[in-house]
Amino acid sequence: MDEIEMSRLDGPTVAQVALRSASFRMATKHGKRSQGDVDEDERKGKKTEKGGGDGGVFRSRSLSRAESYHAATDETNIFLNPDLDSPAKQRRTHGDDEDSVFLDEEGPRREREALRRPKRVRKPRYGTSKSKQGKKLEGLKKEIDVDFHTCELDGLVRRFRTDLERGMTSEAAAERLEEDGPNALTPAKVKPKWQKFLEALFGDGFSLLLWLGAVLCFFAYGIQKGVADEEPQKDNLYLGCVLAGVVIITGFFSYFQESKSSAIMDSFKKMVPPSAMVIRDGKEPAAIPAADLVVGDIILIKFGNRIPGDIRIVQSSGLKVDNSSLTGESEPQSRTPECTHTNPLETKNLAFYSTSALEGTAKGMIVQVGDLTVVGRIANLASGVDSGPTPISIEIGHFIHLVSAVAIFLGVTFFIIALALDYYWLDAVVFLIGIIVANVPEGLLATVTVCLTLTAKRMAAKQCLVRNLEAVETLGSTSCICSDKTGTLTQNRMTVAHVFYDMKLYDVDTTEDQSQGTPDKASPTWWALAHVAGLCNRATFGADQEDEPILSRVCNGDASESALVKCIELSWGSVGKLRSSNPKIAEIPFNSGNKYQVSIHEQQSDPHYLLVMKGAPERIMDRCSKIMVRGKEEEMTAEAREQCDMACMQMAGLGERVLGFCHLFLDPVKYPKGFEFNTESVNFPLEDLCFVGLMALIDPPRDAVPDAVSKCRTAGIKVIMVTGDHPITAAAIARQVGIISSESETVEDIAKRENRPVAKINPKRAEAAIIHGSQLRDMPSDELDNILHIHKEIVFARTSPQQKLLIVEGCQRLGHVVAVTGDGVNDSPALKRADIGVAMGIAGSDVSKQAADMILMDDNFASIVIGVEEGRIIFDNLKKSIAYTLTSNIPEISPFLLFIIVSIPLPLGTVTILFIDLGTDMVPAISLAYEQAESDIMLRKPRDAKKDRLVNQRLISLAYGQIGMIQAAAGFFTYFVIMAENGFLPYTLVGLRAEWDDRDNHWVDDSYGQQWTYDERKKVEYTCHTGFFVSIVIVQWADLIISKTRRNSLFQQGMRNHRLTFGLFFETALACIFSYTPGLGEGLRTYPLRGTWWLAAMPFSLAIFLYDEWRKFMLRRQPPGGFFERETYY
């Protein structure tokens, strides 16, 4: 697994996870600094500048950074005078200036005490208060860095008081462990299960509204029971029990759905190694628990180990580590003792906590442990941030406010009316409670929960696994997607994209099946290039995969070499046979100094040994004096070299990783069979080789991504690439998939076209922007907001976890609903902060999956677009379900109002209201969740959360003021028909309530002079309840059909939703069961109806259908913003 460095510009690293002030903390904590040095600096009036090996002198600006860092970590006063035992005394002695360095009068004793380890002032764990938590999070969001990689080893040894050969003493390590605590991540505060269950029962406005209704029902029943001389009717008691039961059942359901709670810190802990090999007291290395490691420990690492802390490499023998979970870099990263970059995540002499050693061995010094490590900071940031309420929870809260306002307004209004009509005040209170409860949509909470669950199941079938039910709708509300590149937009496999040989550049098919292979395979040069790429290569196919497609086979080796092997296997033939016929005799592995790899092979059919080499193109061409053209070796002329350089630059400009290949047939006289090749003191030629060609590799886009990005644009969704990869590669992929369109220019493109400095170009002229992570380091939030606002197409490259989080927060400040995709540990803070975090199911780490609300099981960006469409559909369908459900509130409430105002016998009872809300309406309302999208679903812009509400005034107006009124008219018509056919004409009902409900009055006359006893009257009343109930079912047929669409005609949408058709039959059958089942009359107070009484409501049902078709026709006919859209389009 050799690393061949690409011939392209290097830049800062992917995840600049910060450690600057942490370094300063260690400098002051373990360092040595004399009073004379401090006095000299104070006299000069400036802060000291840290040198390479002084071990303890501070950087300028370190103090302020340290202050900000310790404000975040709740640890202060690192600059402690050992003579003063409290931070307060320190401040009293030396003032409150944050940049002041302590001084005291006892210089000689101060110098002696400076050698002692100052004790840390322990603070309570963060999270004890919201203010501390907020300060901590703000500190963790800041970019900081360390000097552990730039400081000379001797300086670190003095700083940490250790020894590179003997290690620390056990006593010093024990003391440091006592002061610093274990090398472990601080566990996050976890809610107990009982608290989660109570939140499921009482935690949202909908549940509270239903609980309020239940309590009011119990209260009303209690009042009636307390003042009545005889046992009152138990309608309110039944209703209260039903409301409580609905909340408890849905609460259990929600609790178990959400029981897979986020366990981010547990996922981080799985990454931590259980033990480490450490050198202490000059003894042989011994294994100790990783939690017992302290700063300054000398440890040994070998391939297969996880790094037990942030370490400075002291010695290395080919060590390579996997930083992919931390930085997003898929290539193994070599580690050496030399500092190669000022950025700690770029340099090769640091390795980080929880990353894996893939190859080689090393000795290192622990420089950070626990929460102060790179991973520790990310873990604390991820567990501390929160996305806040979801859009659907905000909408439901808004709906609760509307329904509550309507209920309270009606209740108070009719309470006043009842008092004005000389009702007894206790009866008026019961009326008040009854009207409020009648407005409570008992079945809507269950409907919403089931609709979201059904959509989640449907999305799971489309490779989107939903971990949080409310995330279903959130994805549909998304207006901005911040997408990772590797594995989401791309195939997550390095692939040969271009080859250069015979002085020509060829494209190679990079589709997911690579069916087209490589061009011009007949050329002898291609065969030579294939030989070099296949032989100078350590990657191998896994065992027992002969029957698997080549591209699906698992390779043992790094990504680049695996790509070469698969390319050769596809286009040339068996790499295994090639290697068996050309066995390897000697090898010089790749190293960062030479930047090439060499191997020598014995050819079975030729006496010549074959030397093959691959590496960085410029290094390869520098060692070549000849070039192969059409199978013949020619002199490498300046023109040929220039042409090769141009091809290399062209491929590198596309963001591809370019490798050069050459070979040499060794003279059999000088190198006869059996010659012993020495790879240490090289005894074979590495110059005057023959250049064969170039190969360029890239992780290509997924086939479905360009179309998915195009759909996002059409739907008004802004797609931003946020990656840790190189800007050139990121920009190339962004252009290929359409995130940056072909006609868009960046500021740099405009400057190049106009031959002007970049600084002279107005950024507003550029539609696209490519922002490097280094630019974000010190960028104020308003400048970031400006970039996000003025540029339509943006790529952020070389970003750190903190920067990804800041980008997400910037988008949210602009009002976007943000979805974030990611697969690594470094993505977890942004995933958690986003309105919806989307993790990768295949390549994603456990940490990213725990932080996310949704998991893409196929790691494909196109699945997100499917999820967006499903989310938009469910929002539309929830609107339809709510409109359908709320409409029946008017025919449910109005009988009670007329019962109070005009004193007619009660047309509809409480029990029959429950039949509607929790019986006949439930299945039809849920069936609307299966309704197909209207034609414009992905042509609309993302909904405006401030204007396009789940329940708005237009929906209330349509449901209550239009359709609901027609339904109420149908119910009252049926009521009057039944009453009239039993002898009570409509005009005689007014003012009849008092006589009608008087148990002692057995002689109430009807319109024809017939006298009715109390029991006979109640049978007629309960028959009217049943008739009113059936009439609501019949008009709800039409209401269900018109609720299928908000704009389109039924004849455009069709009746293809068979579950909705089933719902129509279901509610009709249920109405028949309630009406005609023997024995229900006594318990549920329903009585059989004549067949003609079913017909009374049917004209009203037809009127509802015709009225709504006309309304939608006018809505489509008028231009956008017309009267019907303003007043009726919900």
Side-chain angles (χ1 to χ4, degrees), residues 821-842:
T821 69
D823 56 4
V825 173
N826 57 326
D827 298 316
S828 56
L831 287 170
K832 191 81 182 296
R833 183 67 181 89
D835 296 286
I836 177 168
V838 183
M840 304 298 109
I842 300 173

Side-chain angles (χ1 to χ4, degrees), residues 260-272:
K260 302 173 183 177
S261 60
S262 180
I264 293 178
M265 294 303 291
D266 292 339
S267 301
F268 274 102
K269 289 176 184 177
K270 293 178 183 178
M271 302 168 58
V272 178

Side-chain angles (χ1 to χ4, degrees), residues 703-751:
D703 297 342
V705 169
D707 183 55
V709 172
S710 176
K711 285 183 179 179
C712 286
R713 287 185 181 279
T714 304
I717 300 172
K718 186 173 187 176
V719 182
I720 298 174
M721 180 190 288
V722 184
T723 180
D725 211 337
H726 194 281
I728 295 176
T729 306
I733 296 295
R735 290 191 182 277
Q736 289 181 50
V737 301
I739 290 177
I740 297 180
S741 52
S742 57
E743 66 275 5
S744 295
E745 290 183 310
T746 64
V747 172
E748 292 77 12
D749 294 333
I750 297 174

Side-chain angles (χ1 to χ4, degrees), residues 787-837:
I787 290 173
L788 293 169
H789 177 69
I790 66 174
H791 298 295
K792 296 180 180 179
E793 303 166 353
I794 308 176
V795 171
F796 291 97
R798 289 299 199 206
T799 53
S800 70
Q802 287 89 342
Q803 290 167 352
K804 290 184 179 183
L805 180 59
L806 294 176
I807 292 166
V808 171
E809 291 178 338
C811 293
Q812 290 172 330
R813 283 195 298 272
L814 295 180
H816 286 294
V817 175
V818 184
V820 170
T821 69
D823 56 4
V825 173
N826 57 326
D827 298 316
S828 56
L831 287 170
K832 191 81 182 296
R833 183 67 181 89
D835 296 286
I836 177 168

Side-chain angles (χ1 to χ4, degrees), residues 271-296:
M271 302 168 58
V272 178
S275 62
M277 296 296 293
V278 63
I279 299 174
R280 285 185 181 170
D281 301 313
K283 298 178 181 178
E284 289 296 316
I288 68 169
D292 292 342
L293 290 175
V294 298
V295 170

